[in-house]
Amino acid sequence: MSENRQVRVRFAPSPTGDLHVGNIRTALFDWAYARHTAGKFVFRIEDTDRERVTDQYIQAAADTLRWLGLDWDEGPEVGGPHGPYLQSQRLAIYKEWADRFLDQGDAYLCFCTNEELEARREAAKESNRPPGYDGACRDLSESDRKRLSDEGRKPVIRMRMPDGSTTFNDLIRGEVTFDHKFVPDFVLMRNDGSPLYTLAVAVDDVLMKITHILRGEDLLSSTPRQIRVYQAMGVKVEDYPIFAHLPFVMGTDNAKLSKRNGEVSIAWYRERGFLPEAICNYLALLGWSPGDDRENVTLSELAELFDVSRVNASPARFDMKKLEAINGEKIRALSIDELLERSLPFLKSSKVITGTQDEIEVIRKALPLIQERIITLSEVVGMVSFLFGEDVVVAEDEATKISDEVSRATLKAAKEVLELVSEWSEISIESALRGELIEKMGLKPRVAFTPVRIAVTGSHISPPLFESLALLGKTRTLRRISALL
RNA sequence: GGCCCCGUCGUCUAGCGGCCUAGGACUCUGGCUUCUCAAGCCAGCUACGAGGGUUCGAAUCCCUUCGGGGCUGCCA
């Protein structure tokens, strides 16, 4: 392509469900490449034959991209000079080009029915010939076409693949060549006038002046067909988009990540309290690396550093543990105000709080205690819920941990000494408890505090005890201890 | 089956002929710290799929082989 063209990259998902991890990794790299080169990031919806689900899909997809911080320069909601950006609204354009290919002799009408094709494919397979289209309708005469049409057959438009081969330079894989013997003539348009992916994608990329196509490697072998469309459109070789086929994101087994082998929906991660910056950071490192040992990458750093040539050619396994580790790190890096703001939706939707000022103040004080103990935002809920309500539910297995004599004596002593604490603060609580249970009774700290912890928080795992009691208040602390005596 | 892509610790990766007795991160194991759980700190385990070349020298180049994946649609 010409060196001085402005870079234009597109993310073009098809509306087959929620945006998933693989989609987003592609979107992230598309975005990063566009931003890195000061180019344009185009968002396009590949909905050639699914008009009905489009509206809500587009909204969800746009919402997800926005949430992640991947802003687009052209596309749904923002428009742009090369729209519309929904393929379902561009049907006339595809038809026009298909007709033109027909006129030019690049494409031809194919009257074969699905059943016929299938039968011939089977036969070809059995006799060890390649299973692609056999070219039956390639050189039909005018009278042949009339006869077939009179039979009531409605033709599709099929692209003619000339003899020879297609070679292109993939930014990630280097030079790739396909012999046309293995690239059979393909359908551009169904007999109802709807376009197929190969037609629509190529036409749109040319018309939208896309310069770089970064997409999944599953599309690698369809590239010669797309290039064939460019040729038929009269695009000069130097103006062809440049391809970069990204490796797959794999599940825990060795298959492409899907619902069956992992959590794929970005919405799922969002609902669990994964931070968008953590998802982006993790995904950026999946198949790409900045080259040094840095693991912490923000979106703006990614935009600055991203280079397609540093993308790995081999597939990468999605590792939840590492995502969690990064998410935990990002949470710990948040200020309390940020953490509060991001936690609130989880606390409200789980009904732990309604959102009053008093409740929020309690949360604000509790957050520093739990910030380093959570790996996702949704865990805030379980960590702070004991601070609300008069009583706490002590589960059976927790209760049995402290049903012995020593524990009961400890609780009793704790209650008595806490009753005497006049200024209810973390420091006075700690000195009271330590003085009584550790020094006087001679208990090990672990033995001494566990009963109190369980009685008051409901679990042997909790935020630091003295701070927790201070937040809870004297009345409820004593009430809960008494409940177990 | 055919075509195409891929192959470094369990996982993500660094590595582009000597700096590699292969580095980092996550995981895992052990330890320190400690009121629990975390966090933090320290230590440890573990990898160039195999076989041939080329070269003074190969994880790095070539070939073969094995393994994995994708495509082979009037899906995208």
Side-chain angles (χ1 to χ4, degrees), chain A residues 313-332:
Chain A
S314 53
R317 229 88 44 198
F318 183 86
D319 182 3
M320 182 73 86
K321 280 276 193 289
K322 184 143 183 176
L323 204 213
E324 288 174 346
I326 291 176
N327 205 59
E329 263 174 46
K330 301 281 185 192
I331 284 180
R332 273 170 255 135

Side-chain angles (χ1 to χ4, degrees), chain A residues 4-20:
Chain A
N4 48 9
R5 277 198 296 185
Q6 184 191 41
V7 168
R8 294 176 56 81
V9 195
R10 47 66 163 186
F11 171 58
S14 59
T16 48
D18 273 350
L19 247 28
H20 56 81

Side-chain angles (χ1 to χ4, degrees), chain A residues 108-110 112 117 120 133-140 185:
Chain A
Y108 56 90
L109 295 177
C110 173
C112 300
L117 289 174
R120 299 213 300 266
Y133 186 66
D134 57 7
C137 294
R138 247 190 167 202
D139 302 300
L140 256 27
D185 293 356

Side-chain angles (χ1 to χ4, degrees), chain A residues 361-369 386-387 424 426 429 465-474 476-477:
Chain A
E361 279 319 302
V362 172
I363 299 291
R364 189 195 301 281
K365 285 183 190 136
L367 250 18
L369 307 181
F386 78 93
L387 290 171
W424 193 255
E426 176 203 332
I429 293 168
L465 187 61
F466 316 121
E467 290 92 326
S468 297
L469 298 193
L471 276 174
L472 232 206
K474 187 171 180 177
R476 284 188 292 170
T477 297

Side-chain angles (χ1 to χ4, degrees), chain A residues 176-355:
Chain A
V176 182
T177 298
F178 288 88
D179 192 313
H180 291 1
K181 279 197 294 246
F182 309 108
V183 186
D185 293 356
F186 56 97
V187 175
L188 294 168
M189 189 159 273
R190 301 186 182 90
N191 57 205
D192 64 358
S194 62
L196 272 93
Y197 169 79
T198 320
L199 203 220
V201 75
V203 166
D204 285 349
D205 286 338
V206 170
L207 263 30
M208 294 180 182
K209 301 196 182 325
I210 300 303
T211 59
H212 297 259
I213 298 177
L214 280 64
R215 38 129 72 147
E217 68 164 299
D218 48 336
L219 271 348
L220 186 61
S221 45
S222 82
T223 305
R225 297 201 293 269
Q226 255 172 271
I227 289 178
R228 174 71 184 105
V229 177
Y230 302 155
Q231 288 169 349
M233 289 178 82
V235 179
K236 291 190 299 230
V237 175
E238 63 267 29
D239 288 331
Y240 289 174
I242 292 171
F243 289 92
H245 286 95
L246 271 20
F248 288 130
V249 177
M250 313 289 271
T252 42
D253 53 2
N254 243 24
K256 193 175 157 186
L257 188 67
S258 72
K259 290 184 199 76
R260 301 185 58 246
N261 58 16
E263 285 301 338
V264 288
S265 162
I266 293 297
W268 185 90
Y269 292 92
R270 188 177 179 175
E271 287 158 16
R272 279 226 159 42
F274 282 90
L275 271 26
E277 59 265 44
I279 293 174
C280 287
N281 192 151
Y282 174 65
L283 255 23
L285 263 21
L286 212 55
W288 174 83
S289 92
D292 49 26
D293 287 337
R294 69 194 295 169
E295 297 273 333
N296 196 299
V297 186
T298 64
L299 267 189
S300 62
E301 285 168 335
L302 179 65
E304 185 187 325
L305 300 167
F306 186 76
D307 178 358
V308 210
S309 66
R310 289 203 60 85
V311 174
N312 251 302
S314 53
R317 229 88 44 198
F318 183 86
D319 182 3
M320 182 73 86
K321 280 276 193 289
K322 184 143 183 176
L323 204 213
E324 288 174 346
I326 291 176
N327 205 59
E329 263 174 46
K330 301 281 185 192
I331 284 180
R332 273 170 255 135
L334 256 27
S335 72
I336 292 302
D337 281 342
E338 284 172 319
L339 183 57
L340 177 66
E341 193 189 328
R342 300 211 201 193
S343 304
L344 250 24
F346 293 88
L347 291 161
K348 287 180 189 165
S349 71
S350 64
K351 305 275 199 290
V352 166
I353 64 169
T354 57

